[in-house]
Amino acid sequence: MDQTIERYFSDFSVPADVRSFVARPIGHFIEGKEEAATSDQIDLVEPFTGQRLTGLASGSAEDVDRAVRSARQALDGPWGRMPALERQRLILRLAEMMEADADFLAHLEAIDVGKSITDARNIDVPGAIANFQYFAGWTSKLDGRTTGAVALPGETLTYTIKEPVGVVAAIVPWNFPLQILSWKLAAALACGCTIVCKPSEQTPLSAMRLAFLASQAGFPEGVINVVNGFGHVIGQALAAHPGVDKLTFTGSTPVGTAVGKTALDTMKRLTLELGGKSPVIVTGKADLQNAAQAILSGIFLNSGQVCDAGSRVYVQDSAHDELIELLRIGAEALTIGPGLDPTARITPLVSALHRGRVLNHIETAHTQGAALVTGESASGDRREDGILRPTIFNRCAETMDILREEVFGPVLAIGTFSDIDAAVARANTGDFGLAAAVYSEDVNETIHLSRRLKAGNIYVNAHGLIDPTMPFGGLGASGFGKDMGPEQLDGFLSTKSVYVQVRDA
Ligand code: TXE
């Protein structure tokens, strides 16, 4: 391992078992065991040092085929025959093992994504565990219905049965690798499906650890598989594979659209959770101290690499000056540092490539005339550690790209409004519809606005709250289908209708 990474790990006392886990080549997890990475490897890069961590298997369509066959065998074998309460016990056992492994998992997320280890400890890992705990309870509640047939002659018994949809492919991005994987896995397992996971080629570590923990927890081999490699190879092969019954994808809108089209060629069930440009409305009746705090965490959590980040704020004229000042002070007070530093709130972006994309957005905003409140100037005075300072642009017009395009970085764009109808019209502009937030102390105003905003998730006087009981998903270019909540179960179940003609006694 490179010396710079060694020093970084020593500075933050990374445990020896984590160091050895991230230093060895990463292969696949198929048929209940980890396979060594062979021949071709992709460089896995640590975002703070920019150094190579290790090599990742660059899998092939054959690897996908083996994983899908392994998932099918598990479905036709012990997993498919397992009583629901036994499935529940296994999912809860996995949650317990994750609790025991929580600090290890948090280290993997901080090292792989570059994210704050404090957030990984407080948000990513507990959030993932909560999903398994919540969905474990659903295994025993997937009942069909007995109906009273209303249009048939004679006596009939009519009822429905819920069955697992089959083999699920889960394609997952790099911003919350463990948590988003858990959104897919927990419900799929509860419904009795088997899974082939495709983590982002930038952040495969926690998926591999989770598959290992599941095998230790006693899941039969083949229930959870992980295939690593490039998206256009592995993701594409999964989307096209006739043995996959359901595809659940979280990532960018262009890739999601392409993957969805491929999946339809073999009539797969489909859930797409894509990008967003989530609006935030701050009315003159808002508690501005509270609003500023929530807006800052809504855009700067995970250095802005969050699909439902509140990345464009519309503030009513009367509240404008005070809010801008609170946001400026708050943004400048955020501690900057590497992910493993527990005090750092703003940490490196996932890759140099992605940082370059975010910088392009910042430069365009400067060119188009947005007013910089704080953060990255147009002069190119940049840090060299993968980090971008929290950046706020004011006086943004609807014609500017910074108010319309997903940046996926620590960049907030602000515009103003004088009457609420104009705010709603501006907020509802654009193709995305993932989330929206409203700040006001007038409860009626928040209820009316919540109804009028076009988004799958609405936050009132807060941002980015996530709970396993609540479905998460968007409208329009933000995709369709839901993760979490009972609504997600339908995506992993198929309903069979049974008609029994009853003869006279
Ligand atoms: O996403 P991709 P990237 C947005 C965000 C970000 C942009 C690019 O705007 O800047 O997407 O991020 C796999 N067939 N979001 O490049 O490419 C890939 O390996 C099948 C929003 O990481 O969409 C990874 O596992 N699969 C988002 C997953 O798709 C393919 C979170 C997502 O990668 C593939 C992340 C292909 N042809 C980024 N190409 C959110 N909604 O939270 C790639 N993949």
Side-chain angles (χ1 to χ4, degrees):
M1 188 185 286
D2 187 273
Q3 191 55 33
T4 312
I5 289 183
E6 277 295 351
R7 201 174 324 121
Y8 176 40
F9 286 1
S10 302
D11 286 349
F12 292 100
S13 310
V14 173
D17 53 353
V18 174
R19 289 186 198 211
S20 55
F21 188 91
V22 304
R24 73 213 162 103
I26 311 289
H28 310 295
F29 200 99
I30 300 175
E31 275 185 275
K33 51 192 174 301
E34 186 164 350
E35 297 181 352
T38 48
S39 57
D40 286 350
Q41 291 190 6
I42 301 168
D43 285 345
L44 205 59
V45 174
E46 192 287 312
F48 177 63
T49 58
Q51 306 288 309
R52 182 180 187 274
L53 202 52
T54 184
L56 173 73
S58 176
S60 63
E62 288 75 51
D63 296 319
V64 167
D65 192 54
R66 285 188 305 113
V68 172
R69 277 191 278 119
S70 139
R72 178 66 57 190
Q73 274 166 17
L75 197 65
D76 294 341
W79 179 250
R81 291 192 293 272
M82 191 177 281
L85 287 180
E86 181 64 10
R87 236 169 42 235
Q88 175 179 0
R89 195 188 63 76
L90 278 180
I91 299 171
L92 286 174
R93 176 93 189 100
L94 174 58
E96 277 168 20
M97 296 190 69
M98 290 171 75
E99 274 174 335
D101 204 49
D103 208 54
F104 193 104
L105 288 166
H107 272 92
L108 295 188
E109 293 300 71
I111 292 168
D112 221 3
V113 186
K115 69 167 58 201
S116 143
I117 192 160
T118 301
D119 288 346
R121 284 180 174 134
N122 295 338
I123 299 172
D124 298 66
V125 176
I129 293 168
N131 258 294
F132 288 104
Q133 290 169 330
Y134 171 76
F135 277 104
W138 274 107
T139 55
S140 54
K141 294 159 194 76
L142 306 172
D143 300 328
R145 294 183 298 130
T146 306
T147 78
V150 295
L152 293 172
E155 193 183 343
T156 47
L157 170 64
T158 46
Y159 61 94
T160 63
I161 305 172
K162 299 280 186 189
E163 294 176 341
V165 78
V167 174
V168 172
I171 302 180
V172 180
W174 45 261
N175 55 342
F176 290 86
L178 178 68
Q179 204 177 358
I180 294 180
L181 181 57
S182 81
W183 291 0
K184 319 281 188 198
L185 262 181
L189 292 171
C191 292
C193 297
T194 56
I195 298 113
V196 180
C197 310
K198 188 317 195 185
S200 165
E201 54 273 36
Q202 300 178 71
T203 56
L205 296 175
S206 55
M208 292 300 281
R209 183 68 177 178
L210 194 60
F212 166 75
L213 292 177
S215 73
Q216 298 295 101
F219 279 84
E221 63 185 45
V223 175
I224 300 172
N225 306 272
V226 180
V227 185
N228 280 308
F230 288 113
H232 64 271
V233 179
I234 306 302
Q236 172 63 25
L238 280 170
H241 201 294
V244 171
D245 301 293
K246 152 99 192 185
L247 180 73
T248 170
F249 172 93
T250 299
S252 63
T253 300
V255 173
T257 309
V259 159
K261 284 180 184 161
T262 305
L264 274 183
D265 287 341
T266 43
M267 287 299 164
K268 292 183 189 11
R269 302 270 293 275
L270 198 53
T271 299
L272 297 175
E273 201 269 278
L274 311 175
K277 184 74 187 175
S278 299
V280 174
I281 294 181
V282 182
T283 80
K285 296 177 184 167
D287 171 339
L288 294 182
Q289 292 279 356
N290 169 67
Q293 263 191 12
I295 289 169
L296 289 167
S297 86
I299 182 62
F300 295 130
L301 175 76
N302 209 28
S303 299
Q305 302 164 118
V306 181
C307 51
D308 69 350
S311 51
R312 52 183 176 132
V313 167
Y314 300 105
V315 55
Q316 200 152 20
D317 297 330
S318 57
H320 173 269
D321 294 355
E322 189 181 342
L323 183 71
I324 296 293
E325 188 54 8
L326 287 168
L327 290 173
R328 186 190 63 74
I329 293 168
E332 288 174 358
L334 292 169
T335 325
I336 289 176
L340 288 173
D341 177 350
T343 66
R345 311 302 308 139
I346 298 290
T347 58
L349 299 191
V350 71
S351 66
L353 177 72
H354 185 58
R355 186 170 179 270
R357 281 190 212 136
V358 175
L359 273 174
N360 281 342
H361 284 285
I362 290 175
E363 265 148 31
T364 306
H366 282 293
T367 313
Q368 294 183 343
L372 185 70
V373 175
T374 184
E376 298 291 344
S377 68
S379 65
D381 163 30
R382 314 278 183 231
R383 301 167 59 97
E384 285 180 0
D385 52 10
I387 299 175
L388 286 178
R389 285 171 289 180
T391 298
I392 301 179
F393 287 105
N394 194 11
R395 313 259 170 237
C396 297
E398 217 54 56
T399 48
M400 293 180 188
D401 293 348
I402 200 69
L403 264 192
R404 296 202 324 263
E405 293 181 359
E406 182 175 47
V407 173
F408 225 63
V411 184
L412 180 63
I414 301 178
T416 51
F417 67 91
S418 50
D419 78 282
I420 295 282
D421 287 347
V424 172
R426 290 186 77 180
N428 285 341
T429 302
D431 298 331
F432 293 119
L434 189 54
V438 171
Y439 294 89
S440 169
E441 294 302 299
D442 177 342
V443 68
N444 288 312
E445 189 171 59
T446 66
I447 290 170
H448 289 306
L449 282 169
S450 304
R451 201 162 42 220
R452 296 177 69 191
L453 289 169
K454 289 193 189 138
N457 308 280
I458 307 282
Y459 304 114
V460 176
N461 293 329
H463 203 100
L465 304 178
I466 297 276
D467 189 86
T469 64
M470 291 287 281
F472 183 88
L475 308 171
S478 298
F480 52 79
K482 298 290 182 185
D483 283 332
M484 296 181 291
E487 289 79 357
Q488 189 185 9
L489 298 165
D490 265 350
F492 293 119
L493 293 169
S494 61
T495 303
K496 183 178 277 172
S497 298
V498 183
Y499 293 76
V500 181
Q501 186 73 62
V502 181
R503 299 223 185 89
D504 290 343

